[in-house]
Amino acid sequence: MKNKSTALRMKTAILLTICTVFAISALACSNSPADGQQGKYVCEWEKGPIYTLDHPNYYYTLDGHGKGEYYHKDSTHKVKYTYNSDGTINLQDTITGIKYNGTLQNGELHIYDGNKDSTTVSEFLFIRE
């Protein structure tokens, strides 16, 4: 009976070791949804309903894990974002509550501060440095 108990413990230990190795491998190989998209994005232009600004002093820094900062008019705001594999992104300014949506592809962050078809929406283009 002692041999059966030892054999069972041995099989359990081996199985646990194999599962641990697989779990660690899976974690090591997984990327965050925005991996490769992190960095600093500088505003190229902003277009509002009645104005256009070229090269305003705005920029985003994105960490690749859903958090970042937005520098706007001498103020730094924390942001949260979700990035999807199809290139769409949703950002929210945690101070103002403003929600932005758009795309992040090929080093370009192209966002709107509302429904892009609305007459009151502002559109922004940021380029990664």
Side-chain angles (χ1 to χ4, degrees):
M1 188 165 240
K2 192 174 185 180
N3 287 340
K4 286 183 181 181
S5 177
T6 303
L8 182 59
R9 280 192 217 132
M10 196 77 149
K11 287 179 184 178
T12 302
I14 290 170
L15 184 59
L16 183 59
T17 302
I18 291 170
C19 289
T20 302
V21 168
F22 280 125
I24 290 171
S25 297
L27 288 173
C29 292
S30 67
N31 294 328
S32 68
D35 189 38
Q37 304 300 332
Q38 61 270 22
K40 182 177 180 181
Y41 291 82
V42 178
C43 192
E44 188 74 15
W45 49 257
E46 174 186 3
K47 295 178 183 177
I50 57 173
Y51 66 92
T52 297
L53 298 173
D54 287 325
H55 304 287
N57 189 24
Y58 313 154
Y59 64 85
Y60 278 96
T61 56
L62 304 179
D63 70 356
H65 302 285
K67 293 183 181 176
E69 292 183 335
Y70 178 43
Y71 179 83
H72 178 79
K73 297 182 181 175
D74 298 322
S75 186
T76 302
H77 300 221
K78 299 286 184 194
V79 295
K80 295 179 187 177
Y81 67 92
T82 55
Y83 177 76
N84 303 302
S85 59
D86 66 355
T88 59
I89 189 167
N90 296 297
L91 300 108
Q92 181 172 7
D93 185 316
T94 62
I95 293 176
T96 64
I98 296 173
K99 295 179 180 179
Y100 300 88
N101 60 76
T103 58
L104 176 55
Q105 298 174 324
N106 304 315
E108 292 187 356
L109 173 61
H110 189 191
I111 56 174
Y112 302 88
D113 65 355
N115 180 342
K116 70 179 184 176
D117 297 323
S118 171
T119 57
T120 60
V121 72
S122 292
E123 179 180 3
F124 304 82
L125 179 64
F126 294 81
I127 305 295
R128 184 167 50 195
E129 277 192 336

